[in-house]
Amino acid sequence: MSTQSFRGNSSGIQYIVKVSRRARYARLKMSPEEGLTVVVPEGFDIKRVPALVESKMEWILKVQSTFAKHRSAEAGQAGVALPEVIELCGIGETWRVGYREECRESVKITELGPGELELSGAVSHHALCLASLEQWLKRRAKLRFESQLNRLASINGFKVSGISVRKQRSRWGSCSTRGNINLNLKLIFLPPLLVRYIMIHELCHTVHMNHSARYWETVALYDPDYAAHDREMKHAWRFVPAWFSGTR
Ligand SMILES: [Zn+2]
């Protein structure tokens, strides 16, 4: 994007100035790898850059200290740091996650391509990043789980009125008397066999709203290994990565 770039220094803060043909105004961005970059449009008076950096010093120092905190968090307790790779075992997808700091109050999430995710904006704000990752995961889970559940239902002759995906603490799924099936968002991190078991489990509740012997007979028709799968579900929380399970 840049036609030229050079280094600068202001109050002990080092930065790179990039002259961009596409930029319409000067802006600052920060990343843990490159530090501070000042992007300016062509024709921008370079002599104005130090004053610009100076005027944003409070923001720069704040972001710098969050980067430092992230680094020590990563070194200390790996689980708390935001993910660089997300393994979505339950839907057979792997996504790399990039973070780009921009002088903005919010965080935007973009699918750059297959398996490439980018968070941009106030990415030093841990909670904002988690919230947008969760929103994205929910959309992804709804999309993939809905088609899988509908396929399982139509092949096996079950009637489903609706499906929802929610992040829940203690239940993997539920089925209402009206045939609405709710699936826990955390299933997206589980082995596909267990995801399928939960779907079969809830689909069979559209026929038997209980855990009677007849209910389990029905489950066995579609998942002969249901007993082993049901036992595994009790320990399946361990498949959920720490960065995700730590929040609510
Ligand atoms: Zn049940």
Side-chain angles (χ1 to χ4, degrees):
M1 85 166 171
S2 64
T3 47
Q4 49 168 313
S5 71
F6 50 91
R7 300 194 156 268
N9 188 317
S10 168
S11 296
I13 298 289
Q14 304 219 336
Y15 52 84
I16 305 167
V17 181
K18 287 187 175 171
V19 181
S20 163
R21 216 171 282 153
R22 287 194 316 189
R24 287 197 291 162
Y25 47 87
R27 66 191 168 87
L28 272 59
K29 57 179 192 176
M30 285 189 83
S31 78
E33 298 79 24
E34 291 178 35
L36 177 63
T37 305
V38 183
V39 183
V40 298
E42 278 184 328
F44 186 88
D45 183 2
I46 298 301
K47 287 202 263 333
R48 283 171 57 202
V49 171
L52 179 68
V53 170
E54 206 59 54
S55 72
K56 296 280 184 187
M57 197 53 82
E58 206 181 322
W59 174 76
I60 294 165
L61 294 176
K62 208 175 88 190
V63 174
Q64 249 188 359
S65 80
T66 8
F67 285 163
K69 255 183 254 161
H70 269 205
R71 273 192 294 275
S72 59
E74 267 167 50
Q77 31 184 175
V80 179
L82 292 165
E84 279 170 24
V85 175
I86 307 181
E87 298 276 4
L88 302 177
C89 203
I91 58 171
E93 293 179 3
T94 301
W95 291 79
R96 310 203 136 269
V97 193
Y99 299 87
R100 194 156 50 87
E101 181 73 38
E102 280 176 347
C103 198
R104 203 153 18 94
E105 298 284 299
S106 57
V107 168
K108 197 177 111 187
I109 194 158
T110 317
E111 289 178 14
L112 297 178
E116 287 287 332
L117 208 58
E118 185 189 70
L119 273 72
S120 60
V123 295
S124 55
H125 196 308
H126 197 88
L128 282 181
C129 290
L130 277 180
S132 67
L133 280 169
E134 185 175 325
Q135 281 307 311
W136 177 79
L137 279 173
K138 235 179 230 171
R139 283 200 304 275
R140 201 80 210 144
K142 179 95 196 300
L143 186 78
R144 300 291 305 272
F145 286 164
E146 190 163 48
S147 61
Q148 190 184 349
L149 189 75
N150 284 335
R151 203 164 52 240
L152 270 177
S154 69
I155 291 171
N156 300 308
F158 293 104
K159 286 207 169 50
V160 178
S161 318
I163 163 182
S164 57
V165 176
R166 266 179 255 144
K167 184 177 181 181
Q168 285 172 299
R169 203 192 281 271
S170 57
R171 304 177 83 180
W172 288 113
S174 60
C175 178
S176 76
T177 45
R178 292 196 180 135
N180 285 302
I181 290 179
N182 175 61
L183 298 171
N184 193 329
L185 174 56
K186 292 173 180 172
L187 285 168
I188 204 165
F189 298 109
L190 268 56
L193 256 179
L194 296 183
V195 175
R196 184 182 180 279
Y197 163 68
I198 291 297
M199 289 184 177
I200 294 291
H201 183 116
E202 300 310 335
L203 284 170
C204 290
H205 276 317
T206 62
V207 184
H208 304 280
M209 281 305 293
N210 51 45
H211 292 122
S212 62
R214 286 183 58 208
Y215 164 79
W216 289 113
E217 278 165 27
T218 313
V219 174
L221 293 177
Y222 306 100
D223 185 357
D225 279 335
Y226 75 92
H229 293 152
D230 198 60
R231 272 197 305 277
E232 277 190 61
M233 291 314 294
K234 293 189 177 63
H235 312 288
W237 303 102
R238 70 194 156 89
F239 291 111
V240 182
W243 65 266
F244 192 71
S245 60
T247 64
R248 258 183 325 108

